[in-house]
Amino acid sequence: MLDGFLALYVFMLAAFTGYEIIARVPVILHTPLMSGSNFIHGIVLVGAMIALGHAQTPFEMTIGFIGVLLGAGNAAGGYVVTERMLEMFKTSKPSAGKEAK
Amino acid sequence: MAWLPVLIKACYFLAALLFILGLKRMSSPRSARGGIVWAGVGMLVAVLATFALPDLHNRGLILAAVLIGVSAAWWSGRRVAMTDMPQMVALYNGMGGGAAAAIGAAELFSYAGNAVTLLDGGQFTASGADTPGTAQLVLAVLGALIGSVSFSGSLIAFAKLQGWLDRRFVFPGQRVINLLVLAAAVVLGGMIASGHLSMPLIVAFFGLALLFGLMMTLPIGGADMPVVISLYNAFTGLAVAFEGFVLQNEAMIIAGTVVGAAGTLLTQLMAKAMNRSIGNVLFGSFGAAGGAAQEIAGSQKPIEASDAAVMMAYAERVVIVPGYGMAVAQAQHKVWEFAKLLIERGVKVKFAIHPVAGRMPGHMNVLLAEAGVPYDLIADMDDINPEFPQTDVALVIGANDVVNPLAKTDPSSPIYGMPILDVADARQVIVVKRGKGTGFAGIENALFYADNARMLYGDGQAAASELVAALKTLES
């Protein structure tokens, strides 16, 4: 269990981590990176699974089910889209050497 | 079975680590591809560990929802065209926000349900686990509010970029009404957080939060959507982190916070590239003030594709400036084919990309990379601007506002102050454009009337094909 201040410290340090990672990123990667971070908050799926796993009434189950559905969509969609964007960077790499002479 | 909870915690730790390392790798072109795989492994580990949680019920339902959600998103993400990527990011981001809001809703409703049963039983005992602390309630409410706004807002952003909603909805007093809706949602949230856990209150709170996301996004024009999507991406991250605190789930806390911070910075970078503050994007009514636009003297001078091709074939340096129009016309492959022919003739060709070209920063880079244009031919605005005076021909394809000199000269222009690509400094400018209309921001472009500018009218794809054909006849 995270008590109040420990939670605050974790929050602060994680926020700095995120800020620092992006601070030095080239413009060329902004879109893939936005998409990549969009995938990473797909971890919300885990929370939705827990919420559905603890749901008791049909009403709570419905909400939980929708949550898992949306969370799964965030994670899977985010992954596919990011992967497709980054795939292009791979194919352009060898041709860069060829064309530039 | 004491080892199982420890193992699950260890899995969450591993997932958080993999997310951070993955994001780190994604921030460099060389390791970017590996980065998403690392993060993907982290996600898989976290999801499998969650399935193993001992007190998890409804496993069948969970599995069904995961399978449906994953396959639908996987299928749609695979088949969507590269130009439509921005709205897909908006859509998936909205889903994440919705999921975070759903977690908040599930928690709040279950607290409300418990409170009712406790009252019915006649005895209200503060029995540890089921009675939430104030901090927990506040975070659940905050996460639900931010997640809901991100959900409905992202869906509007998706609809706008998809072309389903091409009008901006503006009415007098809009800002005041939006503010009132937000204030009402915050007040209801405050009541819930202070322990008024009644069903109607919670339902009204979610209704207002969703409504606010909708109303906040409707008046924002398409040109500002990248900033908005990035902002909602950060919102979702934050909402996930807050709900992670509520559920005491470390992976959610770390991943959500990291994305929240990274997304906020990314949003600032984008807004800065457009020389506007985030507040201005959200609350300023861009282009709504129909002020007296500066009359532009002169006329647009057309040019034939064959003449344009000859001009560039005998040039020493050519800079190609692609914009969203090129992306819409799917002309990037043809344009690259044309550039390759020029390179074979010994012309020095570069591509110049404005930070906000396309619908997202870096969007144009992705499209050019898809066409096979190597990195080293692509230049940023700051690198290429000093080179325009030595450039023989600047070829502008489907770009408009980012090359508009009025941004420098006309203080009354809505884009005044936005840094632009100084294509007018080149000896000749050829502008490929579909018609005589204005750009995305609805502003006249003084460049098109400049003495050294020639207009090549036509769809980007068709114009590029004509240029390629003209160049080929020149060679034979």
Side-chain angles (χ1 to χ4, degrees):
Chain A
M1 283 264 171
L2 286 162
D3 67 53
F5 272 100
L6 192 55
L8 215 54
Y9 280 113
V10 168
F11 186 70
M12 177 191 75
L13 291 174
F16 267 110
T17 308
Y19 203 85
E20 279 301 308
I21 286 175
I22 302 288
R24 278 175 235 101
V25 73
V27 178
I28 185 170
L29 281 172
H30 275 178
T31 294
L33 204 62
M34 186 201 288
S35 178
S37 58
N38 176 45
F39 162 68
I40 286 175
H41 68 50
I43 189 69
V44 69
L45 169 59
V46 164
M49 286 167 69
I50 296 173
L52 177 54
H54 292 171
Q56 280 152 358
T57 65
F59 180 60
E60 286 170 26
M61 282 189 200
T62 312
I63 295 178
F65 191 82
I66 294 171
V68 175
L69 211 61
L70 293 176
N74 182 184
Y79 186 87
V80 171
V81 166
T82 313
E83 212 246 342
R84 279 185 60 193
M85 285 188 197
L86 292 175
E87 212 166 344
M88 293 165 193
F89 286 95
K90 185 186 140 209
T91 49
S92 75
K93 195 68 190 160
S95 70
K98 232 175 16 208
E99 309 285 349
K101 290 172 222 164
Chain B
M1 289 278 278
W3 55 270
L4 188 59
V6 177
L7 184 68
I8 291 172
K9 290 270 174 197
C11 284
Y12 284 150
F13 178 80
L14 183 66
L17 190 69
L18 284 171
F19 286 152
I20 293 177
L21 292 176
L23 203 58
K24 177 83 200 143
R25 294 181 80 83
M26 269 187 256
S27 61
S28 153
R30 204 168 304 157
S31 55
R33 251 179 71 78
I36 184 66
V37 177
W38 283 44
V41 171
M43 188 70 71
L44 214 57
V45 168
V47 170
L48 289 178
T50 307
F51 259 116
L53 278 173
D55 59 342
L56 203 73
H57 304 283
N58 309 325
R59 283 204 165 83
L61 268 182
I62 295 177
L63 194 65
V66 169
L67 287 181
I68 297 172
V70 166
S71 39
W74 198 275
W75 180 78
S76 61
R78 274 268 153 241
R79 62 189 284 279
V80 70
M82 259 305 151
T83 36
D84 293 344
M85 284 292 165
Q87 54 260 48
M88 292 318 279
V89 174
L91 181 64
Y92 298 138
N93 176 57
M95 292 173 112
I103 296 170
E107 292 297 310
L108 291 176
F109 281 127
S110 90
Y111 296 153
N114 286 337
V116 169
T117 39
L118 283 172
L119 288 175
D120 283 351
Q123 52 191 102
F124 193 91
T125 42
S127 57
D130 283 320
T131 335
T134 311
Q136 220 168 343
L137 271 179
V138 170
L139 287 171
V141 167
L142 268 181
L145 176 65
I146 300 172
S148 303
V149 170
S150 172
F151 174 66
S152 55
S154 296
L155 290 189
I156 296 295
F158 168 77
K160 285 204 172 201
L161 289 180
Q162 190 77 4
W164 294 348
L165 267 182
D166 43 7
R167 257 172 2 102
R168 289 168 54 238
F169 292 78
V170 192
F171 53 86
Q174 190 168 29
R175 247 177 277 178
V176 179
I177 291 174
N178 285 2
L179 214 62
L180 285 178
V181 172
L182 177 64
V186 170
V187 168
L188 290 193
M191 285 170 72
I192 296 166
S194 61
H196 295 276
L197 289 160
S198 80
M199 284 287 201
L201 201 61
I202 299 175
V203 171
F205 163 73
F206 276 102
L208 284 172
L210 291 171
L211 182 66
F212 177 70
L214 223 97
M215 293 179 62
M216 180 174 143
T217 322
L218 278 175
I220 301 174
D224 285 332
M225 275 308 147
V227 181
V228 175
I229 294 172
S230 174
L231 185 72
Y232 288 146
N233 188 38
F235 272 17
T236 305
L238 209 58
V240 170
F242 287 163
E243 299 303 341
F245 278 113
V246 174
L247 295 173
Q248 299 286 335
N249 185 291
E250 294 83 354
M252 279 172 77
I253 296 175
I254 299 295
T257 311
V258 166
V259 171
T264 306
L265 179 57
L266 205 55
T267 311
Q268 280 172 349
L269 290 178
M270 285 185 209
K272 213 195 307 179
M274 297 165 77
N275 195 38
R276 311 184 56 207
S277 71
I278 295 171
N280 191 269
V281 168
L282 295 179
F283 306 113
S285 20
F286 191 41
Q294 190 171 306
E295 262 319 299
I296 299 163
S299 60
Q300 300 190 4
K301 296 162 280 294
I303 189 173
E304 291 297 319
S306 49
D307 295 334
V310 170
M311 199 188 280
M312 285 184 273
Y314 293 101
E316 202 173 320
R317 286 168 195 276
V318 171
V319 174
I320 301 175
V321 180
Y324 191 69
M326 181 196 77
V328 172
Q330 292 285 341
Q332 62 267 32
H333 296 277
K334 273 287 167 207
V335 170
W336 173 229
E337 192 184 336
F338 177 67
K340 274 194 287 193
L341 288 173
L342 285 180
I343 293 170
E344 279 166 25
R345 294 182 61 94
V347 181
K348 292 201 177 72
V349 178
K350 274 190 183 171
F351 288 84
I353 297 188
H354 190 276
V356 294
R359 295 288 165 90
M360 281 189 178
H363 188 198
M364 217 42 67
N365 302 71
V366 169
L367 291 174
L368 289 181
E370 182 200 23
V373 179
Y375 290 126
D376 44 356
L377 294 189
I378 301 176
D380 285 349
M381 182 176 65
D382 294 335
D383 296 330
I384 200 79
N385 266 348
E387 292 185 23
F388 276 116
Q390 289 93 52
T391 300
D392 298 303
V393 182
L395 176 65
V396 178
I397 302 182
N400 189 339
D401 298 324
V402 298
V403 293
N404 192 341
L406 287 184
K408 284 182 156 177
T409 56
D410 179 10
S412 71
S413 171
I415 58 167
Y416 181 69
M418 181 175 89
I420 57 159
L421 288 161
D422 299 321
V423 288
D425 290 348
R427 254 158 243 141
Q428 279 289 340
V429 182
I430 297 169
V431 180
V432 176
K433 203 168 173 304
R434 228 175 354 182
K436 292 191 180 180
T438 54
F440 213 39
I443 307 158
E444 273 294 348
N445 193 334
L447 173 74
F448 303 160
Y449 300 89
D451 287 338
N452 60 345
R454 295 289 177 275
M455 308 298 289
L456 178 53
Y457 292 114
D459 164 82
Q461 172 89 28
S465 304
E466 282 176 35
L467 285 175
V468 168
L471 211 53
K472 279 188 175 151
T473 52
L474 205 64
E475 257 153 44
S476 56

